[in-house]
Amino acid sequence: MYSLDFLNGKAKNFVTKIQLNTRLFVDFLVKAGKPMHGIAMIARAVKVLRQSNEQVSSLNTSFAKLCLKGRCLQHALTVIEHPITSVMPGTNPLEIAIYNYYRGMIYMGLERYTEAIECFRKVLSQPTAVIH
């Protein structure tokens, strides 16, 4: 299994390319109406490429989007339950806001309203200068 230790240095560009291709793949699955087919694959990519459970990237956003579109909310808990303490290089600040929004929507669907409100609060409190 590869980790970010392997991907440091020259291969950071590799992670950026994986994130871009993942976004395109997720958009394709959503348009094709088959978001459930990518959930396991993206979950594996999230777990392999992060340094810790608390690290967030655009892969987390893509994973949460697939879980929402596929209505597989319970499967999303393995990734979204961890707090965000660090951001993977190459992650757009807007993706962090979208990820928190998706987390809130998933928690709402699971009727975990306290966690949902906290996620929505994070979206609303993120500085707008960072997003725009």
Side-chain angles (χ1 to χ4, degrees):
M1 179 184 326
Y2 296 108
S3 67
L4 274 181
D5 295 334
F6 167 75
L7 298 173
N8 283 337
K10 294 179 187 176
K12 283 186 180 180
N13 191 25
F14 179 69
V15 174
T16 305
K17 287 182 181 181
I18 287 176
Q19 291 176 350
L20 176 63
N21 287 328
T22 301
R23 274 185 238 126
L24 295 173
F25 179 64
V26 167
D27 290 341
F28 169 76
L29 288 175
V30 169
K31 287 179 184 175
K34 305 210 180 269
M36 289 187 292
H37 294 290
I39 291 174
M41 189 181 320
I42 305 298
R44 177 84 173 130
V46 167
K47 291 176 183 175
V48 167
L49 293 176
R50 66 184 176 193
Q51 289 178 336
S52 69
N53 288 336
E54 292 84 19
Q55 190 175 38
V56 69
S57 70
S58 65
L59 296 174
N60 294 58
T61 305
S62 298
F63 175 74
K65 181 178 183 178
L66 285 178
C67 290
L68 273 172
K69 293 289 185 177
R71 295 183 181 94
C72 297
L73 306 179
Q74 198 68 30
H75 297 291
L77 291 177
T78 59
V79 174
I80 71 166
E81 281 190 320
H82 303 288
I84 300 171
T85 59
S86 67
V87 178
M88 188 178 288
T91 304
N92 186 348
L94 180 60
E95 291 172 338
I96 298 169
I98 293 170
Y99 176 61
N100 279 319
Y101 175 74
Y102 288 163
R103 288 174 67 200
M105 295 297 289
I106 291 168
Y107 283 134
M108 289 287 290
L110 294 171
E111 297 180 3
R112 293 172 64 173
Y113 300 116
T114 307
E115 291 97 336
I117 289 170
E118 185 60 33
C119 290
F120 293 138
R121 184 175 296 144
K122 288 177 185 177
V123 172
L124 293 173
S125 65
Q126 187 170 349
T128 56
V130 172
I131 293 176
H132 295 289

